Amino acid sequence: MTRPSGEAELRPVLVTVDDDPSVSRAVARDLRRRYAERNRIVRAESGEEALEALRQMKLRGEQVAILLADYRMPGLNGIEFLERAMDVYPYARRVLLTAYADTSAAIDAINIVDVDHYLLKPWDPPEEKLYPVIDDLLRAWQRDERKPVRVAKLVGHRWSAPSTDLRDFLARNQVPYHWYAADTEEGKRLLDAAGTDDKHIPVLITTDGEPMIAPSHAEVAARVGLATTPEREFYDLVVVGGGPAGLGAAVYGASEGLSTVLVEKYATGGQAGQSSRIENYLGFPDGVSGGQLTDRARRQAVKFRAELLTTSEAAGLEVNGPARTIRLSDGRAIDAKAIILATGVSYRQLNAPGCTEMTGAGVYYGAALSEAEECKDQDVFVVGGANSAGQAAVYLSKFAQSVTMLVRAHSLEESMSYYLIQQIAGVPNISVRSCTEVSEVYGDGHLERLELRDLSTGATEIVDAGQLFIFIGAAPRTAWLDGVVARDRHGFVLSGPDIAEQLSRDGQDDEKNDHGGWPLDRQPYHLETSVPGVFAVGDVRAESAKRVASAVGEGAMAVMLVHRYLETL
């Protein structure tokens, strides 16, 4: 990394990255010729070198205006560098430098990292091909509101379940924070400043310097700027659940003029938001992380003025004449003309002895991506054979010494997509043990060993284990709909014109199907539940496809049906 000496640190930075030293110097030379007076020019000859420089600039409080990266670089290519650089400087404008033969890469970059522009080599003369582009991007960057990101401090124990839970809550809600172990010098200093000790953790110190000792999610959400209270009493549309289906419904509802509020218990994104890499989502040929997809969807929803409420749990549904009322667990209520249920599913619990005691202390449900870096040099186990388990195994293999997938079925082919099976087969430190289950979990304060049982022979084996991630099927979150909305015997919400047929098949006497029947002359719309004006989308709906793309599609389709329903009122 090189930089001119004596330049002011506060000038916005233009960063250029190219592994060819002559090209790197040429780009930096042309940039300095025009922009050196008001901007600092920094060049690097690898993506890794540039990322380290960005992290140092972030610590110094510098602002980066433009990132210009060559596509063909060893190690991290230009797209991969820009994707990772977005985590450090999300507001920086992104430019990809390509050869004529790499124009398809530029198209990929638009999909993956929202690249603002791509430049073709050679760019001579810069007065015609380089400077007008940079001028426009600098003006756009200067127009944006870029509030400095102040970071909260979180102090806790690595093997503390409440600490793990709060780390995950902050990460999934895109709240920046620094983690400090309570037994480090800095951790002890922060606990002392907060007037507490390591027996009362986690402790969150907000950006204003106020300590919060063992806070609830709702308390944290209110202090870190997440919306927790609806702005009005009555809406056109309430969306319950913030996974892909719910976010899709919120985006399309708000963009089509409906006053829309999304109610989410934990964090937007749902289970898909925890995925390290979704490879088969349309428009992302190189894959996209669940966090990135969630963040883009959330920003889209906010752009169209949908309200997104966090730590708001739906506890009941009522029909009050033309109004549909969602009762929240804190006693509040939200009324609307129509409701879309997108509550998704939750992972089933592993019943092995010791598992409950170790949850959050080496045992995690879902991807728990905030724990991935703690897997370094450890033997990690993943329970489950569906796509979510496979995606987690591939991601964890980048950190762990070994990843072992434990699958009850005879092979992955029974429940996993073919592309993912092939990908797993190509990762040397991932192994798959079929016909195997976890029969017991051992540890003193945190996970240390597992007892594995071979389902074919009944033989057991004790193995050392660093961490255990569990993906063993899912149950719908629909208990709060008892007696109001028809569900099947597994708790999934029934929908569509065949509600009566499904109820007959599943048994009218089933207590989960206790409801008043369909009250209108017309047949229910597709995705409409047994309550007119209440629709079900995504994983919570009976017979749904259980895929991200189909969930988003159902969210959009439900909004169209909401419009049709509203016309009948």
Side-chain angles (χ1 to χ4, degrees):
M1 175 68 63
T2 61
R3 68 175 59 155
S5 60
E7 292 195 306
E9 294 293 317
L10 296 181
R11 285 180 290 173
V13 182
L14 311 183
V15 177
T16 173
V17 192
D18 197 305
D19 66 301
D20 185 328
S22 62
V23 175
S24 176
R25 287 192 294 270
V27 176
R29 178 201 64 215
D30 287 344
L31 291 175
R32 291 193 188 102
R33 185 182 301 165
R34 184 177 181 99
Y35 303 104
E37 184 176 343
R38 295 188 177 183
N39 300 93
R40 190 161 72 85
I41 314 302
V42 172
R43 72 178 182 91
E45 295 181 3
S46 73
E48 293 84 354
E49 182 184 359
L51 282 173
E52 179 58 30
L54 290 176
R55 296 186 187 103
Q56 294 300 318
M57 286 186 272
K58 191 76 171 181
L59 291 175
R60 293 195 297 267
E62 295 186 75
Q63 297 188 80
V64 173
I66 294 177
L67 300 165
L68 196 155
D70 182 62
Y71 171 63
R72 290 181 178 270
M73 292 191 295
L76 288 179
N77 66 33
I79 295 176
E80 293 168 336
F81 161 73
L82 292 174
E83 185 176 16
R84 291 176 61 176
M86 287 170 64
D87 295 331
V88 185
Y89 280 100
Y91 300 108
R93 298 292 165 159
R94 295 173 286 279
V95 180
L96 190 70
L97 188 63
T98 66
Y100 286 111
D102 295 328
T103 52
S104 61
I107 297 172
D108 290 344
I110 294 172
N111 289 326
I112 297 170
V113 295
D114 293 332
V115 71
D116 296 287
H117 201 91
Y118 67 92
L119 289 171
L120 294 177
K121 300 178 183 179
W123 60 89
D124 289 331
E127 289 77 12
E128 296 180 10
K129 297 184 178 181
L130 177 65
Y131 297 154
V133 172
I134 302 300
D135 288 344
D136 287 343
L137 293 177
L138 279 173
R139 283 192 293 266
W141 179 82
Q142 289 163 352
R143 285 195 303 266
D144 285 347
E145 182 181 5
R146 296 177 307 279
K147 296 179 180 178
V149 179
R150 294 183 295 173
V151 179
K153 300 178 179 66
L154 180 61
V155 186
H157 289 306
R158 177 187 175 189
W159 303 119
S160 159
S163 298
T164 298
D165 181 55
L166 188 51
R167 289 180 70 181
D168 187 60
F169 177 78
L170 293 172
R172 291 183 58 189
N173 281 287
Q174 305 291 313
V175 177
Y177 72 94
H178 285 315
W179 163 258
Y180 299 91
D183 56 358
T184 63
E185 288 302 318
E186 184 63 13
K188 293 175 183 177
R189 187 189 69 78
L190 290 171
L191 289 175
D192 184 61
T196 187
D197 55 31
D198 60 1
K199 296 181 178 62
H200 302 87
I201 56 170
V203 174
L204 180 68
I205 301 173
T206 69
T207 55
D208 296 326
E210 295 296 324
M212 302 178 71
I213 299 174
S216 68
H217 290 163
E219 291 170 335
V220 171
R223 291 294 295 273
V224 300
L226 299 175
T228 59
T229 305
E231 295 179 1
R232 59 178 78 184
E233 296 181 355
F234 195 89
Y235 293 83
D236 293 325
L237 175 63
V238 174
V239 180
V240 185
L247 286 168
V251 167
Y252 281 94
S255 68
E256 294 178 12
L258 299 177
S259 57
T260 302
V261 60
L262 183 148
V263 177
E264 167 56 42
K265 175 183 177 181
Y266 190 79
T268 51
Q271 290 187 14
Q274 297 177 277
S275 175
S276 58
R277 180 66 56 176
I278 301 170
E279 300 275 3
N280 57 352
Y281 192 78
L282 183 67
F284 293 89
D286 292 323
V288 61
S289 74
Q292 290 171 331
L293 191 63
T294 296
D295 181 59
R296 294 177 184 187
R298 179 169 44 216
R299 285 189 281 120
Q300 272 184 304
V302 172
K303 168 187 173 183
F304 292 120
R305 299 189 177 180
E307 292 180 42
L308 305 184
L309 305 185
T310 306
T311 66
S312 296
E313 182 178 5
L317 171 63
E318 298 175 3
V319 178
N320 297 308
R324 305 291 181 260
T325 302
I326 293 293
R327 294 285 176 186
L328 302 179
S329 57
D330 61 6
R332 293 176 298 164
I334 305 176
D335 293 321
K337 297 176 183 177
I339 290 172
I340 294 177
L341 304 175
T343 50
V345 292
S346 57
Y347 288 112
R348 297 186 188 278
Q349 303 294 297
L350 184 65
N351 293 324
C355 189
T356 299
E357 293 79 1
M358 298 299 163
T359 298
V363 175
Y364 308 99
Y365 287 90
L369 298 183
S370 58
E371 296 297 319
E373 293 188 7
E374 303 292 344
C375 296
K376 185 177 181 181
D377 299 328
Q378 294 189 16
D379 296 315
V380 173
F381 291 79
V382 175
V383 178
N387 279 12
S388 54
Q391 290 162 352
V394 171
Y395 181 72
L396 293 169
S397 69
K398 301 175 183 178
F399 304 90
Q401 175 174 279
S402 71
V403 177
T404 303
M405 298 189 67
L406 306 175
V407 185
R408 289 177 58 88
H410 288 86
S411 68
L412 293 176
E413 282 79 1
E414 296 183 25
S415 56
M416 187 177 292
S417 296
Y418 176 76
Y419 82 87
L420 195 50
I421 295 174
Q422 296 299 107
Q423 190 173 357
I424 288 171
V427 181
N429 63 333
I430 297 180
S431 61
V432 180
R433 293 183 59 162
S434 59
C435 298
T436 303
E437 69 175 5
V438 175
S439 54
E440 193 158 355
V441 176
Y442 303 97
D444 183 12
H446 63 88
L447 174 67
E448 295 175 336
R449 296 177 304 281
L450 298 174
E451 181 183 81
L452 306 182
R453 178 187 294 122
D454 188 314
L455 297 176
S456 300
T457 65
T460 61
E461 174 188 1
I462 302 293
V463 297
D464 293 332
Q467 301 198 50
L468 176 68
F469 297 87
I470 302 171
F471 306 80
I472 54 171
R477 304 168 181 172
T478 58
W480 61 284
L481 298 172
D482 276 347
V484 182
V485 174
R487 299 173 294 146
D488 67 14
R489 63 181 70 253
H490 302 293
F492 291 94
V493 176
L494 299 173
S495 64
D498 56 348
I499 284 179
E501 176 185 342
Q502 294 183 61
L503 285 177
S504 175
R505 183 183 66 204
D506 290 336
Q508 287 281 8
D509 295 332
D510 191 325
E511 63 177 7
K512 291 185 178 180
N513 294 327
D514 181 19
H515 67 101
W518 181 251
L520 303 181
D521 292 335
R522 67 170 175 82
Q523 289 292 308
Y525 299 129
H526 183 59
L527 304 181
E528 193 170 24
T529 70
S530 60
V531 177
V534 178
F535 300 81
V537 297
D539 289 0
V540 75
R541 188 177 67 83
E543 307 299 330
S544 63
K546 308 298 187 287
R547 287 290 186 268
V548 175
S550 61
V552 173
E554 287 187 6
M557 183 188 299
V559 171
M560 178 188 71
L561 298 174
V562 165
H563 281 294
R564 187 182 301 178
Y565 167 75
L566 294 180
E567 291 173 357
T568 69
L569 296 182

